[in-house]
Amino acid sequence: MTKETTYYPDLAYPASQLSAYSLSIDLFVISLKTEEIIRFKPDDVQEFKLWLEKFKIRDINAE
């Protein structure tokens, strides 16, 4: 059995602490479950978006 990685490279928070996100060009604005807002600019925008979708993190632009 393989343990699934819940951390994305260079992101200090695991998927379980993320609540929702918004993407603007190449910058993600992420709301944490603690109500803190962070900004994250990944090296690969599409790969990070797929990772967020994998963990069912809500995309506020899709609502």
Side-chain angles (χ1 to χ4, degrees):
M1 183 157 98
T2 317
K3 186 176 179 185
E4 191 170 29
T5 303
T6 60
Y7 281 88
Y8 190 83
D10 298 323
L11 182 63
Y13 302 91
S16 62
Q17 290 185 16
L18 309 183
S19 177
Y21 73 93
S22 176
L23 171 62
S24 179
I25 304 173
D26 63 350
L27 180 69
F28 287 83
V29 177
I30 302 169
S31 171
L32 302 178
K33 290 182 178 176
T34 61
E35 299 181 3
E36 180 182 353
I37 302 294
I38 62 168
R39 288 166 183 77
F40 182 65
K41 190 172 182 177
D43 290 335
D44 186 329
V45 171
Q46 189 59 33
E47 181 181 302
F48 184 59
K49 191 170 186 318
L50 290 172
W51 182 86
L52 291 167
E53 290 171 359
K54 175 182 176 180
F55 289 100
K56 299 181 180 11
I57 308 303
R58 186 170 52 100
D59 177 359
I60 63 169
N61 294 328
E63 296 178 349

